[in-house]
């Protein structure tokens, strides 16, 4: 009985007035995993639907990449975790009531970066497939940046300022047992750990730069409790993430509010910002990722906006903005953005 009441109230009134209990999950060594989503990991925190949680995150390789770390050390760290991602993920967080087949709505309420950022590409002579132009940059390159969380920009170099736009490169729920990604150690067990490199239906390494403070993502649940992880924290990123990394950073706090939905069914994550509905697609083949994202967009417009399939396909063509999220995570990503402003009637605007 309490869950439907909470769901209705949150939809009608400001979040702060009806948020549940607030929790904090610090990035202690035992709370952070390096490069793998392991469903056997015990939850580090258990919360209720509608609670809020402030999560601390670390830089790559459990904070071993910091200002001054050499390219040689970065390469050593990349090789130290075969098959796994470089990402440090804090979690998992168990949400009471979340069951396979449900949807977790995760609201990003606040992001506070720490003070150091980096961007690097690995040596193309050793990693010839990692990065859009890997073979053209055989030696690799690393840069470090000073970040002022209160500032609007980060200095790339004198005369070049990058807008500070923090977002989680990785926001995941527990693994999909049917994810075709290889498992750790070549295991055939569908519940064996999955690398954090590839994005999938459970979110993970999506690298979608619209997931900033104030946005919401809806992710299908595959395992009991949902099991939320976040990390691979970014402070800015261009679409494509072409050289391998964004402006990688870490967070003093990313504040999330997960809400369990029993009456929603999703195949892929869906994102909503103040200005757009965003539909996603992932595949090792960029064209297939693009087709997946467009198909999701058409389905959304049919289901939520009452259009025929022909109308939805046409509207996607004339108003949708489909962007390459990233091309560097083996499984490539595309996200299609539909502006909310085009829905002028209250009925159409309110169906999303």
């Amino acid at each position: 009985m309490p869950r439907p009441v909470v769901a209705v109230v949150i939809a009608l009134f400001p979040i702060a007035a009806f948020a549940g209990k607030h929790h904090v999950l610090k990035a202690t060594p035992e709370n952070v995993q390096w490069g793998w989503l392991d469903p056997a990991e015990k939850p580090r925190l258990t919360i209720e639907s509608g609670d809020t949680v402030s999560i601390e995150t670390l830089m790559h390789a459990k904070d071993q990449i910091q200002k001054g770390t050499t390219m040689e050390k970065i390469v050593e760290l990349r090789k130290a975790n075969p098959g796994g991602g470089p990402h440090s993920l804090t979690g998992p967080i168990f949400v009471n009531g979340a069951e396979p087949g449900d949807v977790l709505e995760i609201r990003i309420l606040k992001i506070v970066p720490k003070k150091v950022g980096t961007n690097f590409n690995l040596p193309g002579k050793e990693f010839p497939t990692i990065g859009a132009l890997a073979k053209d940059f055989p030696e690799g390159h690393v840069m470090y940046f000073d970040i002022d969380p209160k500032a609007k920009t980060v200095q790339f170099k004198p005369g070049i300022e990058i807008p500070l736009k923090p977002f989680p490169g990785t926001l995941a729920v527990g693994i999909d047992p049917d994810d075709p990604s290889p498992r750790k150690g070549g295991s055939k067990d569908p519940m064996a750990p999955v690398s954090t490199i590839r994005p999938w239906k459970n979110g993970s390494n999506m690298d979608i730069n619209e997931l900033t403070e104030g946005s919401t993502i809806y992710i299908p649940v595959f395992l009991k409790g949902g099991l939320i992880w976040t990390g691979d924290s970014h402070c800015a990123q261009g679409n494509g993430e072409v050289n391998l990394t964004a402006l990688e950073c870490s967070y003093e706090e990313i504040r999330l509010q997960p809400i369990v939905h029993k009456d929603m069914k999703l195949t892929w994550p869906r994102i909503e910002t103040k200005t757009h509905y965003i539909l996603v697609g992932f595949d090792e083949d960029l064209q297939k990722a693009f087709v997946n994202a467009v198909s999701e967009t058409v389905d959304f417009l049919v289901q939520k906006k009452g259009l025929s399939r022909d109308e939805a396909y046409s509207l996607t063509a004339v108003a949708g903005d489909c962007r390459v999220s990233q091309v560097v995570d083996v499984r490539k990503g595309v996200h299609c953005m539909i502006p909310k402003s085009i829905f002028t009637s209250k009925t159409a605007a309110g169906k999303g």
Side-chain angles (χ1 to χ4, degrees):
M1 198 64 160
R3 189 173 297 114
V5 173
V6 172
V8 171
V9 169
I10 289 177
L12 295 175
F13 297 98
I15 293 170
F18 293 96
K21 184 178 179 181
H22 183 68
H23 309 263
V24 175
L25 185 62
K26 303 298 288 184
T28 59
E30 61 272 16
N31 290 345
V32 178
Q33 302 303 311
W34 176 7
W36 297 95
L37 292 174
D38 186 352
E41 285 290 337
K42 294 181 180 180
R44 284 359 188 229
L45 184 66
T46 298
I47 67 175
E48 300 295 330
S49 174
D51 285 358
T52 58
V53 55
S54 293
I55 305 167
E56 181 188 14
T57 67
L58 301 181
M59 292 279 275
H60 286 331
K62 299 190 83 167
D63 240 15
Q64 294 184 79
I65 296 180
Q66 288 292 336
K67 193 171 184 178
T69 302
T70 65
M71 177 52 63
E72 290 73 21
K73 181 64 175 178
I74 292 172
V75 169
E76 177 187 320
L77 291 169
R78 186 60 183 251
K79 294 178 178 179
N81 191 13
H87 318 108
S88 304
L89 296 188
T90 308
I93 298 170
F94 188 102
V95 183
N96 278 329
E99 300 284 349
D102 295 343
V103 170
L104 264 180
E105 172 186 354
I106 303 177
R107 299 177 177 184
I108 301 176
L109 305 182
K110 183 179 182 180
I111 299 177
V112 181
K114 295 180 184 177
K115 295 183 179 181
V116 174
T118 185
N119 173 267
F120 59 86
N121 57 283
L122 294 170
K125 62 186 179 184
E126 295 185 72
F127 302 90
T129 63
I130 299 182
L133 303 176
K135 293 179 181 179
D136 295 337
F137 294 90
E139 303 304 323
H141 180 68
V142 59
M143 298 179 68
Y144 292 98
F145 306 91
D146 294 320
I147 297 170
D148 178 355
K150 296 180 181 179
K152 294 182 179 180
T153 62
V154 177
Q155 187 181 82
F156 183 83
K157 63 181 297 184
I160 303 177
E161 297 287 329
I162 307 300
L164 182 63
K165 190 180 177 184
F167 72 96
T170 297
L171 183 56
V173 298
I175 68 168
D176 171 11
D178 294 327
D179 183 350
S181 296
R183 299 311 199 254
K184 189 173 185 179
S187 174
K188 301 301 181 183
D189 181 358
M191 293 299 287
V194 175
S195 171
T196 60
I197 291 176
R198 294 171 175 83
W200 187 241
K201 295 175 182 179
N202 64 320
S204 199
N205 190 21
M206 296 176 289
D207 291 324
I208 296 175
N209 61 13
E210 300 293 335
L211 269 173
T212 54
E213 184 177 298
S215 64
T216 298
I217 185 168
Y218 298 84
I219 309 181
V221 173
F222 298 95
L223 302 177
K224 185 178 178 64
L227 303 178
I228 298 169
W229 306 77
T230 190
D232 182 30
S233 305
H234 294 167
C235 280
Q237 181 202 292
N239 284 316
E241 199 184 24
V242 296
N243 84 335
L244 174 63
T245 55
L247 201 173
E248 311 285 327
C249 61
S250 54
Y251 297 153
E252 291 287 352
E253 173 188 14
I254 176 169
R255 186 176 300 181
L256 306 178
Q257 184 181 37
I259 300 167
V260 177
H261 288 276
K262 298 288 186 182
D263 56 349
M264 289 181 69
K265 300 298 176 186
L266 290 179
T267 301
W268 296 93
R270 290 181 178 177
I271 297 167
E272 185 173 346
T273 70
K274 292 179 181 178
T275 58
H276 288 81
Y277 303 111
I278 303 175
L279 297 309
V280 307
F282 307 115
D283 196 89
E284 282 73 6
D285 182 305
L286 184 58
Q287 177 64 22
K288 291 180 180 178
F290 192 95
V291 169
N292 287 343
V294 173
S295 180
E296 276 291 294
T297 305
V298 170
D299 288 347
F300 169 79
L301 292 172
V302 170
Q303 296 165 7
K304 297 297 184 179
K305 298 301 179 184
L307 276 65
S308 71
R309 290 193 64 79
D310 287 330
E311 290 171 334
Y313 193 28
S314 181
L315 184 60
T316 302
V318 300
D321 185 9
C322 295
R323 305 175 179 183
V324 176
S325 315
Q326 54 74 26
V327 294
V328 295
D329 298 331
V330 182
R331 188 174 284 153
K332 299 160 182 71
V334 172
H335 60 280
C336 292
M337 302 178 61
I338 300 294
K340 292 181 175 180
S341 60
I342 65 175
F343 300 103
T344 55
S345 74
K346 290 183 179 180
T347 302
K351 285 185 178 181

